[in-house]
Amino acid sequence: HPGLPADAKPEDTAKRALDTIAKRQGAPFLLVFDNAESPALVAGFVPERGAAILTTSRAPGWDAMAAPVPIAPLPAKEATDLLLDRSGRTDRAGAAALAEALGYLPMALNQAGAYIRRAAIGFDAYSERIEALLAAPPIDSDYPVSVAATFALAIDALPDAEPVLGVFCWVDPDAIPRALAAAAEPDTQRQDVAIVALTGASLLIPAGDTACGPALSMHRLVQMTMRARLAARGGAEASRAVALGALTAAFPYAFKDPALWPRCRALMPHVRAVDAHLGDALSAELGVLLDRAASFLQGSGAAREAAPLYRDTLAARERVLGAEHPDTLGSRNNLASCLQAMGDLAAAELLFRQALAGAERVLGVDHPKTVSIRRNVAAVTRARMP
């Protein structure tokens, strides 16, 4: 442009260029802002007329000036097809399983498919080493850095918000109760700042309201990156303990209280996730959480789902508290009650009698808990009589 000074600022040059295009174009033209950092940066460069505008951005807050179109992960079939095409393999079932593990994220599918093709391995082999391979430099990929490195850079930029991710990475990735963030950051104002920063960086996504209140979602690969990050720094055990404590505090005892069942039902996926991460590190607090979850399941009519959790509770308490601790005896009684509800009367009677013998030794024959277990023994014995 002949009227533009040679030392003009880039911002002034861009505005002059856009004004010139807008005046010369007889028809509407397409203007693309790629990877815009914020709405404020784009606002000063929007022509007054003539432009259809497309903006791509990870930042929130576009509602006032644009119609947001969220970009979700690929549908399962398309993700599987992409993985098959990129890898050159034909195992659709294996590709589908790996695509699900990768959360249907195109960047991760692309990196995995390229590695599988070049390394001549199967989908199962990649799944077995998924955390290490997602952190490795990409091979023949359109993305310059690995999936894990991409998320790690985003996390690095938000050090004050990282403790919240340290809690959320151990639970189910979908519909995480926002209230669990209080375990990482009790100060409500700093907690809000952390959540705003994390949603702004798309590390967390608002997921609407549940029976536990407002919820957020976290992509499973972000969770995986965060867990690996904690393990490398020696902080995994401590953060898992915080997550467990938060979930235990949130889960009510609801054996015969239907009013609490919706809340319990919303928390169950998170209980199962924490149990999966902590199953090899049984603790007394994990026993408390699993016992509450099992009580809810049995009380709401799902005894078969409750039985494995009662067994895990009993194992945790036997290991941590000892075989004849009152809480352990209570767990043995609860498992027996669950088996009785399932119709396995012989196994239930055996456990009831074991619990009774222990209660008589530890608590005494007249203790209320001993008397209650004795009644259970009598009830199941009568039920087994022809």
Coordinates of all heavy atoms in Angstrom, one line a residue, residues 100-162:
E100 N -10.8 -45.8 21.9 CA -11.5 -45.4 23.1 C -10.5 -45.0 24.2 O -10.8 -44.1 24.9 CB -12.4 -46.6 23.6 CG -13.2 -46.3 24.8 CD -14.1 -47.4 25.3 OE1 -14.0 -48.5 24.7 OE2 -14.8 -47.3 26.2
A101 N -9.4 -45.8 24.3 CA -8.4 -45.5 25.3 C -7.8 -44.1 25.1 O -7.4 -43.4 26.0 CB -7.4 -46.6 25.4
L102 N -7.7 -43.7 23.8 CA -7.2 -42.4 23.5 C -8.2 -41.3 23.5 O -7.9 -40.2 23.1 CB -6.5 -42.5 22.1 CG -5.3 -43.5 22.0 CD1 -4.9 -43.6 20.5 CD2 -4.1 -42.9 22.8
G103 N -9.4 -41.6 23.9 CA -10.4 -40.6 24.0 C -10.8 -40.0 22.7 O -11.4 -38.9 22.7
Y104 N -10.6 -40.7 21.6 CA -11.0 -40.3 20.2 C -10.4 -39.0 19.9 O -11.0 -38.2 19.1 CB -12.5 -40.3 20.1 CG -13.2 -41.6 20.6 CD1 -14.1 -41.6 21.6 CD2 -12.9 -42.7 19.9 CE1 -14.7 -42.8 22.0 CE2 -13.5 -43.9 20.3 CZ -14.4 -43.9 21.4 OH -15.0 -45.1 21.8
L105 N -9.2 -38.6 20.4 CA -8.6 -37.4 20.1 C -7.7 -37.5 18.9 O -6.8 -38.3 18.8 CB -7.7 -37.0 21.3 CG -7.1 -35.6 21.3 CD1 -8.2 -34.5 21.5 CD2 -6.0 -35.4 22.4
P106 N -8.0 -36.7 17.8 CA -7.3 -36.9 16.5 C -5.8 -36.8 16.7 O -5.1 -37.6 16.0 CB -7.8 -35.7 15.7 CG -9.2 -35.4 16.2 CD -9.1 -35.7 17.7
M107 N -5.3 -35.9 17.5 CA -3.8 -35.8 17.6 C -3.2 -37.1 18.2 O -2.2 -37.6 17.7 CB -3.5 -34.6 18.6 CG -2.0 -34.4 18.9 SD -1.7 -32.9 19.8 CE -2.7 -33.2 21.3
A108 N -3.9 -37.7 19.2 CA -3.4 -38.9 19.7 C -3.6 -40.1 18.8 O -2.7 -41.0 18.7 CB -4.2 -39.2 21.0
L109 N -4.7 -40.1 18.1 CA -4.9 -41.2 17.1 C -3.8 -41.1 16.0 O -3.3 -42.2 15.5 CB -6.3 -41.1 16.5 CG -7.5 -41.2 17.4 CD1 -8.7 -40.7 16.8 CD2 -7.6 -42.7 17.8
N110 N -3.5 -39.9 15.5 CA -2.5 -39.8 14.5 C -1.2 -40.2 14.9 O -0.4 -40.9 14.2 CB -2.5 -38.3 14.1 CG -1.7 -38.0 12.8 OD1 -1.8 -38.8 11.9 ND2 -0.9 -37.0 12.9
Q111 N -0.8 -39.8 16.2 CA 0.5 -40.2 16.7 C 0.6 -41.7 16.9 O 1.6 -42.4 16.5 CB 0.8 -39.5 18.0 CG 2.1 -39.9 18.7 CD 2.4 -39.1 19.9 OE1 2.0 -37.9 20.0 NE2 3.1 -39.7 20.8
A112 N -0.5 -42.3 17.4 CA -0.5 -43.8 17.7 C -0.4 -44.5 16.4 O 0.3 -45.5 16.3 CB -1.7 -44.1 18.5
G113 N -1.2 -44.1 15.4 CA -1.3 -44.9 14.1 C 0.1 -44.8 13.4 O 0.6 -45.9 12.9
A114 N 0.8 -43.7 13.5 CA 2.1 -43.6 12.8 C 3.1 -44.5 13.5 O 3.9 -45.1 12.9 CB 2.5 -42.1 12.8
Y115 N 3.0 -44.5 14.8 CA 4.0 -45.3 15.6 C 3.8 -46.8 15.3 O 4.7 -47.6 15.1 CB 3.9 -45.0 17.1 CG 5.0 -45.7 17.9 CD1 6.1 -45.0 18.2 CD2 4.9 -47.0 18.3 CE1 7.2 -45.6 18.9 CE2 5.9 -47.6 19.0 CZ 7.0 -46.9 19.3 OH 8.0 -47.5 20.1
I116 N 2.5 -47.2 15.3 CA 2.2 -48.6 15.1 C 2.7 -49.1 13.7 O 3.2 -50.2 13.6 CB 0.7 -48.8 15.3 CG1 0.3 -48.7 16.7 CG2 0.2 -50.1 14.7 CD1 -1.2 -48.6 17.0
R117 N 2.5 -48.2 12.7 CA 2.9 -48.6 11.4 C 4.4 -48.7 11.3 O 4.9 -49.7 10.7 CB 2.4 -47.5 10.4 CG 2.8 -47.8 8.9 CD 2.2 -46.8 8.0 NE 2.3 -45.4 8.4 CZ 3.4 -44.7 8.2 NH1 4.5 -45.2 7.6 NH2 3.5 -43.4 8.7
R118 N 5.1 -47.7 11.8 CA 6.6 -47.7 11.7 C 7.2 -48.8 12.6 O 8.2 -49.4 12.2 CB 7.1 -46.3 12.1 CG 6.9 -45.2 11.0 CD 7.7 -45.4 9.8 NE 9.1 -45.3 10.1 CZ 9.8 -44.1 10.1 NH1 9.1 -43.0 9.9 NH2 11.0 -44.0 10.4
A119 N 6.7 -49.0 13.7 CA 7.3 -50.0 14.7 C 6.8 -51.4 14.4 O 7.3 -52.4 15.0 CB 6.9 -49.6 16.1
A120 N 5.8 -51.6 13.5 CA 5.3 -52.9 13.1 C 4.8 -53.6 14.4 O 5.1 -54.8 14.6 CB 6.3 -53.7 12.4
I121 N 4.0 -53.0 15.2 CA 3.4 -53.6 16.4 C 1.9 -53.6 16.2 O 1.3 -52.9 15.3 CB 3.8 -52.9 17.7 CG1 3.3 -51.4 17.7 CG2 5.3 -52.9 17.8 CD1 3.5 -50.7 19.0
G122 N 1.2 -54.3 17.1 CA -0.3 -54.3 17.1 C -0.9 -53.2 18.0 O -0.2 -52.6 18.8
F123 N -2.2 -53.1 17.9 CA -2.9 -52.1 18.8 C -2.8 -52.5 20.3 O -2.6 -51.6 21.1 CB -4.4 -52.0 18.4 CG -4.6 -51.5 17.0 CD1 -5.2 -52.3 16.0 CD2 -4.1 -50.2 16.6 CE1 -5.4 -51.8 14.7 CE2 -4.3 -49.8 15.3 CZ -4.9 -50.6 14.4
D124 N -2.8 -53.8 20.6 CA -2.7 -54.2 22.0 C -1.3 -53.8 22.5 O -1.2 -53.4 23.7 CB -2.9 -55.7 22.1 CG -4.4 -56.1 21.8 OD1 -5.2 -55.2 21.8 OD2 -4.6 -57.3 21.6
A125 N -0.3 -54.0 21.8 CA 1.1 -53.7 22.2 C 1.2 -52.2 22.5 O 1.8 -51.8 23.5 CB 2.1 -54.1 21.2
Y126 N 0.6 -51.4 21.7 CA 0.6 -49.9 22.0 C -0.2 -49.6 23.2 O 0.3 -48.8 24.1 CB 0.0 -49.2 20.8 CG 0.3 -47.7 20.8 CD1 1.3 -47.1 20.2 CD2 -0.6 -46.8 21.6 CE1 1.6 -45.7 20.2 CE2 -0.3 -45.5 21.6 CZ 0.7 -44.9 21.0 OH 1.0 -43.6 21.0
S127 N -1.3 -50.3 23.4 CA -2.1 -50.0 24.6 C -1.4 -50.3 25.9 O -1.5 -49.7 26.9 CB -3.4 -50.9 24.5 OG -4.2 -50.5 23.4
E128 N -0.6 -51.4 25.9 CA 0.2 -51.8 27.0 C 1.2 -50.8 27.5 O 1.6 -50.7 28.6 CB 0.9 -53.2 26.8 CG -0.1 -54.3 26.7 CD 0.5 -55.6 26.2 OE1 1.8 -55.5 25.9 OE2 -0.2 -56.6 26.0
R129 N 1.7 -50.0 26.5 CA 2.7 -49.0 26.8 C 2.2 -47.5 26.5 O 3.0 -46.7 26.2 CB 4.0 -49.3 26.0 CG 4.7 -50.6 26.4 CD 5.9 -50.8 25.5 NE 5.5 -51.3 24.2 CZ 6.2 -51.1 23.1 NH1 7.3 -50.5 23.1 NH2 5.8 -51.6 21.9
I130 N 0.9 -47.3 26.6 CA 0.3 -46.1 26.1 C 0.9 -44.9 26.7 O 1.1 -43.9 26.0 CB -1.2 -46.2 26.3 CG1 -1.9 -45.0 25.5 CG2 -1.6 -46.2 27.7 CD1 -3.4 -45.2 25.4
E131 N 1.1 -44.8 28.0 CA 1.6 -43.6 28.6 C 3.0 -43.2 28.1 O 3.3 -42.1 27.8 CB 1.6 -43.8 30.2 CG 0.2 -43.8 30.8 CD 0.2 -43.6 32.3 OE1 1.2 -43.0 32.8 OE2 -0.7 -44.1 32.9
A132 N 3.9 -44.2 28.1 CA 5.2 -44.0 27.6 C 5.3 -43.6 26.1 O 6.0 -42.6 25.7 CB 6.1 -45.2 27.8
L133 N 4.4 -44.2 25.3 CA 4.5 -43.9 23.9 C 3.8 -42.6 23.6 O 4.2 -41.9 22.6 CB 3.8 -45.0 23.1 CG 4.5 -46.4 23.2 CD1 3.7 -47.5 22.4 CD2 5.9 -46.3 22.6
L134 N 2.8 -42.2 24.3 CA 2.2 -40.8 24.1 C 3.2 -39.7 24.5 O 3.1 -38.6 24.0 CB 0.9 -40.7 24.8 CG -0.3 -41.5 24.3 CD1 -1.5 -41.3 25.2 CD2 -0.6 -41.0 22.9
A135 N 4.1 -40.0 25.3 CA 5.1 -39.0 25.7 C 6.3 -39.0 24.8 O 7.1 -38.1 24.8 CB 5.6 -39.3 27.2
A136 N 6.5 -40.0 23.9 CA 7.6 -40.1 23.0 C 7.4 -39.1 21.9 O 6.3 -38.7 21.5 CB 7.7 -41.5 22.5
P137 N 8.5 -38.7 21.2 CA 8.5 -37.8 20.1 C 7.6 -38.4 19.0 O 7.8 -39.6 18.7 CB 9.9 -37.6 19.6 CG 10.7 -37.9 20.9 CD 9.9 -39.0 21.6
P138 N 6.7 -37.7 18.3 CA 5.9 -38.3 17.3 C 6.7 -38.7 16.1 O 7.7 -38.1 15.7 CB 4.9 -37.1 17.0 CG 5.6 -35.9 17.4 CD 6.4 -36.3 18.6
I139 N 6.2 -39.7 15.4 CA 6.8 -40.3 14.2 C 5.9 -40.0 13.0 O 4.7 -40.4 13.1 CB 7.1 -41.8 14.3 CG1 8.1 -42.1 15.4 CG2 7.6 -42.4 13.0 CD1 8.2 -43.5 15.7
D140 N 6.4 -39.4 12.0 CA 5.6 -39.1 10.8 C 4.2 -38.5 11.1 O 3.2 -38.9 10.6 CB 5.3 -40.5 10.0 CG 6.6 -41.0 9.3 OD1 7.6 -40.2 9.3 OD2 6.6 -42.1 8.8
S141 N 4.2 -37.6 12.0 CA 2.9 -37.0 12.5 C 2.8 -35.5 12.0 O 3.8 -34.9 11.8 CB 2.9 -37.0 14.0 OG 1.7 -36.3 14.5
D142 N 1.6 -35.1 11.8 CA 1.4 -33.7 11.5 C 1.6 -32.7 12.6 O 1.7 -31.5 12.5 CB -0.1 -33.5 11.0 CG -0.3 -34.3 9.7 OD1 0.6 -34.5 8.9 OD2 -1.5 -34.7 9.5
Y143 N 1.8 -33.3 13.8 CA 1.9 -32.5 15.1 C 3.4 -32.5 15.4 O 4.1 -33.5 15.5 CB 1.1 -33.1 16.2 CG -0.4 -33.1 15.9 CD1 -1.0 -34.2 15.3 CD2 -1.2 -32.0 16.1 CE1 -2.3 -34.3 15.0 CE2 -2.5 -32.0 15.8 CZ -3.1 -33.1 15.2 OH -4.4 -33.1 14.9
P144 N 4.0 -31.3 15.8 CA 5.4 -31.2 16.0 C 5.8 -31.8 17.3 O 7.0 -32.1 17.5 CB 5.7 -29.7 15.9 CG 4.3 -29.1 16.3 CD 3.3 -30.0 15.8
V145 N 4.9 -31.9 18.3 CA 5.3 -32.4 19.7 C 4.4 -33.5 20.0 O 3.3 -33.6 19.5 CB 5.3 -31.3 20.7 CG1 6.4 -30.3 20.4 CG2 4.0 -30.6 20.8
S146 N 4.8 -34.3 21.0 CA 3.9 -35.4 21.4 C 2.7 -34.9 22.1 O 2.5 -33.8 22.6 CB 4.7 -36.3 22.4 OG 4.9 -35.7 23.6
V147 N 1.7 -35.9 22.2 CA 0.4 -35.6 22.9 C 0.7 -35.1 24.4 O 0.2 -34.1 24.8 CB -0.5 -36.8 22.9 CG1 -1.7 -36.5 23.7 CG2 -0.9 -37.1 21.5
A148 N 1.5 -35.9 25.1 CA 1.8 -35.6 26.5 C 2.5 -34.3 26.6 O 2.2 -33.5 27.5 CB 2.6 -36.7 27.1
A149 N 3.4 -34.0 25.7 CA 4.1 -32.7 25.8 C 3.2 -31.5 25.5 O 3.3 -30.5 26.1 CB 5.3 -32.7 24.8
T150 N 2.2 -31.7 24.6 CA 1.2 -30.7 24.3 C 0.4 -30.3 25.6 O 0.3 -29.1 25.9 CB 0.3 -31.1 23.2 OG1 1.0 -31.4 22.0 CG2 -0.8 -30.1 22.9
F151 N -0.1 -31.4 26.3 CA -0.8 -31.1 27.5 C 0.1 -30.6 28.6 O -0.3 -29.8 29.4 CB -1.5 -32.4 28.0 CG -2.7 -32.8 27.1 CD1 -2.8 -34.1 26.6 CD2 -3.6 -31.8 26.7 CE1 -3.9 -34.4 25.8 CE2 -4.7 -32.2 25.9 CZ -4.8 -33.5 25.4
A152 N 1.3 -31.1 28.7 CA 2.2 -30.7 29.7 C 2.5 -29.2 29.6 O 2.6 -28.5 30.6 CB 3.5 -31.5 29.7
L153 N 2.7 -28.7 28.4 CA 2.9 -27.3 28.2 C 1.8 -26.4 28.7 O 2.0 -25.4 29.3 CB 3.2 -27.0 26.7 CG 4.5 -27.5 26.1 CD1 4.5 -27.3 24.6 CD2 5.6 -26.7 26.7
A154 N 0.5 -26.9 28.5 CA -0.6 -26.2 28.9 C -0.7 -26.2 30.5 O -1.0 -25.2 31.1 CB -1.9 -26.8 28.4
I155 N -0.3 -27.3 31.1 CA -0.3 -27.4 32.5 C 0.8 -26.5 33.1 O 0.6 -25.9 34.2 CB -0.2 -28.9 33.0 CG1 -1.4 -29.7 32.5 CG2 0.0 -29.0 34.5 CD1 -1.2 -31.2 32.7
D156 N 2.0 -26.5 32.5 CA 3.1 -25.7 33.0 C 2.7 -24.2 33.1 O 3.2 -23.5 34.0 CB 4.3 -25.8 32.0 CG 5.0 -27.1 32.2 OD1 4.9 -27.7 33.2 OD2 5.7 -27.5 31.2
A157 N 1.8 -23.8 32.2 CA 1.4 -22.4 32.2 C 0.5 -22.0 33.3 O 0.2 -20.8 33.5 CB 0.7 -22.0 30.8
L158 N 0.0 -23.0 34.1 CA -1.0 -22.7 35.1 C -0.6 -23.4 36.4 O -1.3 -24.3 37.0 CB -2.4 -23.2 34.7 CG -2.9 -22.7 33.4 CD1 -4.2 -23.4 33.0 CD2 -3.2 -21.2 33.6
P159 N 0.6 -23.1 37.0 CA 1.1 -23.8 38.2 C 0.2 -23.6 39.4 O 0.1 -24.6 40.2 CB 2.4 -23.1 38.5 CG 2.3 -21.7 37.8 CD 1.5 -22.0 36.6
D160 N -0.5 -22.5 39.6 CA -1.4 -22.4 40.7 C -2.7 -23.2 40.6 O -3.3 -23.5 41.6 CB -1.8 -20.9 40.9 CG -0.7 -20.0 41.2 OD1 0.3 -20.5 41.8 OD2 -0.7 -18.8 41.0
A161 N -3.0 -23.7 39.4 CA -4.2 -24.5 39.2 C -3.9 -26.0 39.2 O -4.8 -26.8 39.2 CB -4.9 -24.1 37.9
E162 N -2.6 -26.3 39.2 CA -2.2 -27.7 39.0 C -2.7 -28.6 40.2 O -3.1 -29.8 39.9 CB -0.7 -27.8 38.9 CG -0.2 -29.1 38.5 CD 1.3 -29.1 38.1 OE1 1.8 -28.1 37.9 OE2 1.9 -30.2 38.1

